[in-house]
Amino acid sequence: MLFWRAALVAALLCGVGLLPWLSSTDPALTVLRARSAERAPTPEVLDAIRAQLGLDAGPVRLLGDWLGGLLHGDAGRSWISGAEVTPSVLQALGVSLLLMGGSLAVAVVTAGAVCARTLRLGAGRRLDGRRPAGTGSALLSTLPDFLTASVLAAVVGVQLGWLPALGWYGPQWMVLPALSLGLPAGALLGRMLDDLLPGAFAEQWAPAAAARGVPGRGIARQALRRCVPGLLPNFGLFVVGLTGGAVAVEQVFDIPGLGRLTLQAGVAQDLPVLQAGTLALVLLAAVAGGLTRLTARLLIGPALRDGALTSLHRPTSPRPTTLPLLYGGLLLAVVALGLARDPLRLDTTARLQSPSWAHPFGTDGLGRDVLARVGHGALSTLALAAAVSAAALVVGVLLGLLPRFSGPLVDTVNAVPPVLAALLVTGIAGSGPSTPALAVTAVAWAPLSAHTSALLQQERATTHLTATRGLGAGPLQLLRHELLPAVLPPVIRHALLRLPGVALALAALGFLGLGTQPPSPEWGLLLSENQPYAERAPWAVLAPATALALLGAVAVTGGGGVRWPGPLRVRRQDADGIGTVARRGARAEDREPVAGDLVSVGTREAGTTGTTGTTGTTGTTGTADTAGAGREEA
């Protein structure tokens, strides 16, 4: 495992070191333009830069010299400024860690607010009529961080003057950036946690604890402890994403963080800074991943070791809802109205006009109709985002089924900012229309793979899987009938939550010359083009942002009905507390009783598929599926 992780880090650093040569551009010319754009690139000037930087020795020699100096704590000097790299990277890392801490605090509070209703209903044993988390959290999770940052800076920082909008000089300068990063991340984590909590409250320990007089607050706390380990890998990914991936927010608020430093070094091909920043992100990802795995073992380690868990993902009947149809109808109406208009027609006399009958969504900085551009950009935005999300889902699930192989790979890939991934993909595959899709897919699978591995680890430790395996079920049968039905639905819902973010990531790369370019009406490109006018003409930004929010609402509300195809197993409780397992549509006399439904989490008798016991200290119990359930699946 350690050798595999070291090999991945070495491959990443080698790829970064070869970036100027992979991109087929003269490194001396790139450095000259970054140092002084006005200076003429004469052959004499370029030869002097090559001699100064040692470019004639080739990339292998440069990488070897950099690694040799790194062993002595010297990461070299910047090719652009000539300053020492180590102090600048450490200073930027410290800023990013402070920003990350504030953002995580905001994310935790936001996630708690999203799932507070489910915790309250579950503690009171009133989850039967519960609906999933509201649409507000879905819209919040789809907000682009740079749009949130721009609005907060313009409204709270400039117009109201409550908090500083630019710079990094003290704790109060951290509030707005932390809100910009933490609100969407917390909404996403909260929805994922809200998806798991009903399964925890449905386990047998919850009613048993309530019957013994355990307060509802204590039951809710134990339910959180049961669900949090499944989300810890994604929480660790957020930790790294809030440092290297916070480039847009750092740009808006002028924060000298590690993400911004790495982006500037990547664009200027300042290899010493880029390599040191990438190495810092990789080390941070490794530490975050190790801490999350250790925390998960501390929370439910004995149950994982003894195979004494129950599945959090019990099949349930999908509830019919009209919300996806409502949001989808609104989105289709906007697209249909926009398709009837010309998205490229310029009218300089109508620049930045407010919404009217002639222009329902107003006009942009060139006088083009915003509604027309939103409508015509729908096809390319939705098609490419859906294709990338589907590819990321397939890759993430397949690699998530191999956690020993994919764990170090996820940590390494997650440490690569999307911009750097795009530059590497461009160097290997060349610039073209497929470059953004390849770059985003290269990093978008990582959180889905981490989620799959975490759920798979817990599902393999369930008692019903032990029973089914003991009855002779093979690995493929267990995968098909037990593991995939439990793991795939929540991972698919997670992928749908990230669909609008994928659309934004694709568009953001267009500004680097790596994909869609103006005057294309792609939604993310519309957001970026109109961002400078957010204060003067907010409608130009709100229109594409609303379209993306509607896309997220459709994905999230429709994703709530994702179920594993095939016969549905429903667990029911008789009046005396004895459970039954039945297939929908089966006759009552064919249903098999579940024996030994009250078991201790850490107790399991050898040679049996269902065991009984109680915990006299806490009064909490777990459930174990039995031979009846195992025979049915086997």
Side-chain angles (χ1 to χ4, degrees):
M1 181 70 70
L2 184 60
F3 175 78
W4 172 230
R5 190 181 296 273
L8 290 173
V9 174
L12 176 60
L13 291 178
C14 288
V16 171
L18 292 173
L19 183 59
W21 289 268
L22 290 175
S23 58
S24 301
T25 59
D26 187 355
L29 179 60
T30 305
V31 171
L32 175 63
R33 289 174 177 173
R35 288 179 176 178
S36 176
E38 295 81 11
R39 191 173 182 181
T42 61
E44 294 78 9
V45 171
L46 295 179
D47 288 340
I49 292 178
R50 294 190 189 98
Q52 178 189 4
L53 302 180
L55 295 176
D56 293 334
V60 177
R61 175 67 179 274
L62 287 175
L63 182 61
D65 292 342
W66 181 80
L67 291 175
L70 192 65
L71 295 176
H72 300 89
D74 181 14
R77 290 184 174 271
S78 170
W79 287 1
I80 308 302
S81 65
E84 292 187 5
V85 171
T86 303
S88 61
V89 170
L90 290 178
Q91 182 180 2
L93 178 61
V95 171
S96 292
L97 290 178
L98 285 175
L99 178 59
M100 177 194 69
S103 303
L104 288 180
V106 173
V108 170
V109 173
T110 305
V114 170
C115 61
R117 179 172 173 270
T118 300
L119 287 171
R120 185 178 67 255
L121 294 177
R125 310 300 300 162
R126 292 181 286 115
L127 277 176
D128 291 340
R130 167 223 176 237
R131 292 183 178 180
T135 308
S137 62
L139 299 180
L140 185 60
S141 65
T142 61
L143 282 179
D145 52 9
F146 70 85
L147 176 61
T148 308
S150 300
V151 172
L152 289 176
V155 176
V156 180
V158 177
Q159 294 183 359
L160 299 178
W162 291 349
L163 291 168
L166 290 175
W168 186 265
Y169 304 103
Q172 57 182 343
W173 276 265
M174 188 175 66
V175 176
L176 294 183
L179 288 173
S180 303
L181 291 170
L183 287 175
L188 180 60
L189 285 173
R191 290 198 65 92
M192 294 170 63
L193 181 59
D194 191 76
D195 189 36
L196 293 177
L197 281 172
F201 283 116
E203 293 179 341
Q204 291 298 322
W205 63 263
R212 295 194 176 194
V214 177
R217 185 175 302 177
I219 296 176
R221 185 168 56 251
Q222 292 300 322
L224 279 175
R225 180 178 178 179
R226 175 69 177 90
C227 297
V228 164
L231 299 181
L232 281 176
N234 273 279
F235 191 81
L237 297 185
F238 274 115
V239 168
V240 184
L242 293 176
T243 51
V247 177
V249 173
E250 291 177 356
Q251 292 277 29
V252 170
F253 291 102
D254 194 23
I255 299 174
L258 187 58
R260 185 181 178 188
L261 180 70
T262 306
L263 169 64
Q264 293 173 346
V267 173
Q269 295 187 358
D270 190 353
L271 286 190
V273 178
L274 181 59
Q275 288 170 329
T278 303
L279 181 60
L281 288 172
V282 170
L283 294 177
L284 178 62
V287 172
L291 289 177
T292 55
R293 285 188 289 270
L294 177 61
T295 305
R297 290 187 177 277
L298 291 176
L299 289 176
I300 56 171
L304 286 174
R305 182 189 63 237
D306 298 336
L309 291 176
T310 54
S311 177
L312 289 176
H313 307 282
R314 297 170 182 269
T316 56
S317 301
R319 293 188 178 94
T321 177
T322 59
L323 287 179
L325 298 178
L326 175 61
Y327 296 134
L330 288 175
L331 186 59
L332 287 177
V334 169
V335 172
L337 291 174
L339 289 175
R341 299 167 176 261
D342 185 2
L344 301 179
R345 182 177 179 272
L346 300 177
D347 185 2
T348 55
T349 63
R351 295 178 63 251
L352 301 178
Q353 282 190 354
S354 59
S356 61
W357 286 108
H359 304 287
F361 286 179
T363 61
D364 63 7
L366 297 177
R368 296 172 295 191
D369 186 79
V370 176
L371 176 59
R373 295 184 64 75
V374 170
H376 282 267
L379 183 60
S380 59
T381 301
L382 298 179
L384 191 57
V388 170
S389 298
L393 175 63
V394 172
V395 174
V397 170
L398 291 178
L399 290 179
L401 295 176
L402 305 170
R404 290 185 176 275
F405 172 79
S406 64
L409 188 60
V410 167
D411 291 341
T412 305
V413 169
N414 187 61
V416 180
V419 173
L420 178 57
L423 293 175
L424 291 174
V425 170
T426 303
I428 297 174
S431 180
S434 62
T435 299
L438 293 174
V440 176
T441 305
V443 296
W445 63 269
L448 302 177
S449 177
H451 196 189
T452 301
S453 297
L455 297 179
L456 188 69
Q457 182 187 33
Q458 294 196 40
E459 198 65 27
R460 281 174 171 168
T462 55
T463 51
H464 76 88
L465 196 72
T466 302
T468 308
R469 188 186 296 112
L471 291 171
L476 292 179
Q477 193 172 12
L478 291 174
L479 181 67
R480 168 65 178 84
H481 293 286
E482 298 290 346
L483 297 177
L484 288 181
V487 170
L488 272 185
V491 175
I492 292 175
R493 292 193 287 270
H494 182 186
L496 290 174
L497 276 174
R498 292 184 176 271
L499 179 60
V502 168
L504 281 172
L506 289 168
L509 297 180
F511 273 118
L512 297 176
L514 304 175
T516 304
Q517 296 295 306
S520 171
E522 207 260 350
W523 287 354
L525 202 56
L526 296 184
L527 276 172
S528 302
E529 285 178 344
N530 296 313
Q531 183 188 353
Y533 311 108
E535 186 177 354
R536 180 181 173 188
W539 52 84
V541 176
L542 289 177
T546 303
L548 279 169
L550 283 175
L551 172 62
V554 172
V556 172
T557 55
V562 173
R563 297 292 182 270
W564 182 257
L568 180 67
R569 285 199 314 170
V570 182
R571 176 174 292 278
R572 305 189 310 175
Q573 292 297 319
D574 297 332
D576 58 355
I578 302 300
T580 60
V581 176
R583 289 189 183 274
R584 180 170 295 279
R587 297 177 302 172
E589 57 269 22
D590 294 334
R591 296 171 183 164
E592 300 185 40
V594 177
D597 60 326
L598 295 179
V599 299
S600 169
V601 172
T603 305
R604 191 172 41 139
E605 295 179 4
T608 62
T609 58
T611 61
T612 62
T614 60
T615 58
T617 56
T618 60
T620 58
T621 59
T623 60
D625 288 335
T626 62
R631 276 196 305 274
E632 186 178 10
E633 291 298 327

